[in-house]
Amino acid sequence: MTGQTSTVLDELGFRYEPDSLYQQVISDVLDTGQQIDLPHQLQLILAQPKNEIMVHYPVQMDDGHYRLFKGYRVQHNNILGPYKGGIRFHPDVSLDHVKALAVLMTMKCALARLPLGGAKGGVQVDSRAVSYDELRRMTRRFTSALGDNIGPNHDIPAPDVGTNAQVMAWIADTYINLSDARSRFTGQAVVTGKPVSFNGSHGREQATGQGLVYIVTELLPELGIEVDGCSFSVIGYGNVGSWAARLFAQHGAKLRAVMDHTGAIHHDAELDTVALAEHVEKTGGVAGFVNSESISVEQFYRLELDLMIPAALEQMITDKEAAWVGAKVLAEGANAPTTPEGDRLLREKGVTILPAILCNAGGVSVSYMEWRQNRDAVQWEPNRVQEELRFYMNAAAQRVKLAAHKYNTDLRTAAYAAALEHVGQVYALRGIFP
Ligand code: NAD
């Protein structure tokens, strides 16, 4: 918390906590607000989420004992439309992280000009360490604990780390069963990222990776990097990382290294992105993939490549990792993968950072399309989804470039500026109630 930002956070009684992801993210956002002269009252409003919901609920495990789970839903801002944001199942889920991710959703929806607000949720659980039945009971009970805090016109969750289309199907089914008869039909729009056969959208599963590929294929040539033959690495080979890799490889890019929670692997020429996805599906991680050598974390970061795509968790690239980074460009698939110190060091080294709210906006863009399809009780052709996704991603990229030029700033600040300009305009039009 430095400069002008501290006055807003001080005014709200924040105590400075350098490791708080929320303080790191909101400080960046409010600093940008200062640069673009966002009115002080709007900075105050944005400095805290509107609602922070915390629930504790018991679930019977397979062996008969009861376990108490802790879950969160944070609704940051809904000036642009209903709250929207993923639900994460991970042992490290905390209120601080969920708040930070909710702010980023407000910024992402605003940058993409979606009529949606920002939210995020999560449950402290290792989804790999519970059985299928336990996961289902845990998901259903979380949904009922949230009750009317979510809804198709109010707050619409989606998949994130540790959750998938099946989890979304259980949330939708639970919500529909708890709804009264008259609103039952529209209940399926309570979540996006559902399976295609249960009114999910074509293209949603790969949407975040696809959106990132649209961004890098648009921006890399402007940075002097040819897409065909571009060497790249990925951190995390889950939904975002594996789809980004598979789709980018279709443009002739070469995946040289991947790191996940099981280790780091490397190949001098090229890793087979599709076979690697199958290996991860079968074994749970990248370790032990054929035709690859195992390397250390430091060796992974030091590889001299055109592009690195962090697509795992937050705060992974601190000043320590940033000092190692050998890539020329970082395209943030994950939310907030770079700490402020890491970010500063990378920029000093001349690494270009394509920020998360631009690179990973594809997921929420197709989620928005799924929500519209559900409300109209239709399913669009895959090509229509792709065309709209390309439109949203390219328009967002143009806004970031224009803002970078207008404010003479880096791309992260530019992305926040383009988002905040829109939020500011809508507040000015709507006014603050009453
Ligand atoms: P996922 O659960 O499918 O994959 C997470 C990946 O992170 C896994 O490959 C896992 O091995 C890896 N990982 C976990 N701990 C790690 C560690 N310590 N070191 C290295 N790798 C580690 O999750 P996802 O949906 O792909 O989400 C990844 C990121 O993208 C998150 O920041 C999420 O918020 C963001 N995101 C996801 C979506 C989406 O549509 N799924 C949309 C926007 C942003």
Side-chain angles (χ1 to χ4, degrees):
M1 282 155 42
T2 52
Q4 296 287 351
T5 304
S6 62
T7 51
V8 175
L9 297 186
D10 286 347
E11 199 173 330
L12 293 169
F14 277 73
R15 272 183 312 165
Y16 178 48
E17 293 170 31
D19 294 334
S20 155
L21 183 66
Y22 184 69
Q23 290 194 9
Q24 292 174 3
V25 170
I26 200 66
S27 296
D28 266 4
V29 170
L30 296 177
D31 280 343
T32 308
Q34 286 292 332
Q35 284 183 44
I36 69 163
D37 291 327
L38 192 74
H40 182 73
Q41 71 273 17
L42 298 193
Q43 298 201 38
L44 278 179
I45 290 170
L46 294 173
Q48 284 285 30
K50 283 203 175 176
N51 304 307
E52 297 174 23
I53 301 148
M54 192 189 304
V55 295
H56 294 98
Y57 61 95
V59 175
Q60 190 167 28
M61 308 307 277
D62 290 345
D63 66 2
H65 88 280
Y66 283 86
R67 180 168 158 194
L68 195 72
F69 287 91
K70 185 194 278 286
Y72 303 95
R73 186 72 183 165
V74 171
Q75 298 164 334
H76 176 254
N77 189 275
N78 62 351
I79 192 70
L80 301 180
Y83 298 109
K84 187 92 190 77
I87 287 189
R88 173 177 296 195
F89 289 169
H90 193 275
D92 296 339
V93 162
S94 67
L95 182 60
D96 179 71
H97 277 216
V98 176
K99 281 172 66 176
L101 295 166
V103 175
L104 290 172
M105 284 307 297
T106 301
M107 293 294 105
K108 203 177 299 180
C109 293
L111 173 63
R113 301 297 190 261
L114 304 175
L116 296 168
K120 200 79 179 190
V123 178
Q124 274 178 8
V125 62
D126 182 352
S127 52
R128 284 185 284 246
V130 294
S131 72
Y132 183 85
D133 286 341
E134 288 169 341
L135 192 67
R136 188 185 63 233
R137 289 196 291 276
M138 203 228 25
T139 302
R140 285 194 184 282
R141 187 65 197 255
F142 180 48
T143 309
S144 79
L146 289 175
D148 286 338
N149 288 302
I150 57 171
N153 294 315
H154 176 55
D155 183 356
I156 307 133
D160 192 76
V161 176
T163 57
N164 56 20
Q166 176 61 74
V167 171
M168 296 305 115
W170 288 327
I171 294 177
D173 183 72
T174 307
Y175 185 84
I176 288 167
N177 273 289
L178 296 177
S179 303
D180 68 46
R182 270 166 297 188
S183 53
R184 212 160 269 174
F185 160 70
T186 53
Q188 62 187 353
V190 66
V191 280
T192 56
K194 297 181 291 294
V196 173
S197 47
F198 176 34
N199 300 319
S201 177
H202 287 292
R204 175 60 186 90
E205 195 202 318
Q206 61 269 47
T208 310
Q210 177 70 73
L212 185 143
V213 170
Y214 284 143
I215 295 297
V216 294
T217 49
E218 162 90 10
L219 297 182
L220 286 181
E222 295 178 20
L223 299 167
I225 297 171
E226 280 283 323
V227 169
D228 191 3
C230 166
S231 58
F232 73 109
S233 64
V234 177
I235 307 176
Y237 214 71
N239 175 286
V240 179
S242 72
W243 278 111
R246 279 176 278 181
L247 295 167
F248 198 35
Q250 288 176 7
H251 291 265
K254 311 280 180 215
L255 178 64
R256 292 269 166 77
V258 181
M259 180 174 75
D260 75 357
H261 70 287
T262 63
I265 59 168
H266 169 255
H267 193 285
D268 272 336
E270 188 176 6
L271 291 160
D272 181 332
T273 56
V274 176
L276 181 57
E278 286 163 5
H279 172 82
V280 171
E281 177 80 30
K282 239 184 274 158
T283 66
V286 300
F289 183 55
V290 288
N291 275 337
S292 71
E293 53 156 354
S294 162
I295 54 172
S296 71
V297 172
E298 182 174 343
Q299 285 171 322
F300 172 85
Y301 279 106
R302 284 195 186 278
L303 289 170
E304 290 181 6
L305 304 171
D306 294 316
L307 176 71
M308 175 186 283
I309 304 173
L313 300 176
E314 302 81 43
Q315 295 178 308
M316 288 189 70
I317 305 174
T318 67
D319 44 358
K320 181 174 117 188
E321 288 78 16
W324 294 336
V325 166
K328 296 179 194 144
V329 178
L330 209 81
E332 294 182 337
N335 288 304
T338 318
T339 65
E341 295 76 28
D343 187 273
R344 234 184 328 271
L345 194 57
L346 287 173
R347 279 189 284 133
E348 278 168 21
K349 286 172 63 165
V351 178
T352 303
I353 301 172
L354 310 179
I357 68 162
L358 173 63
C359 287
N360 70 25
V364 70
S365 300
V366 177
S367 275
Y368 167 56
M369 296 176 214
E370 179 173 330
W371 183 66
R372 285 160 56 201
Q373 291 170 65
N374 288 170
R375 293 168 78 87
D376 289 346
V378 295
Q379 197 163 52
W380 298 351
E381 291 300 316
N383 281 348
R384 176 165 175 192
V385 176
Q386 285 312 311
E387 272 166 35
E388 278 212 23
L389 175 60
R390 190 196 300 268
F391 167 81
Y392 277 105
M393 297 308 294
N394 284 345
Q398 298 314 320
R399 279 179 207 114
V400 174
K401 282 196 268 183
L402 277 175
H405 183 68
K406 178 174 169 187
Y407 299 107
N408 189 24
T409 186
D410 63 280
L411 296 177
R412 189 187 311 286
T413 307
Y416 288 147
L420 287 171
E421 279 179 346
H422 183 52
V423 169
Q425 280 162 5
V426 177
Y427 265 111
L429 290 166
R430 288 183 59 173
I432 294 170
F433 185 79

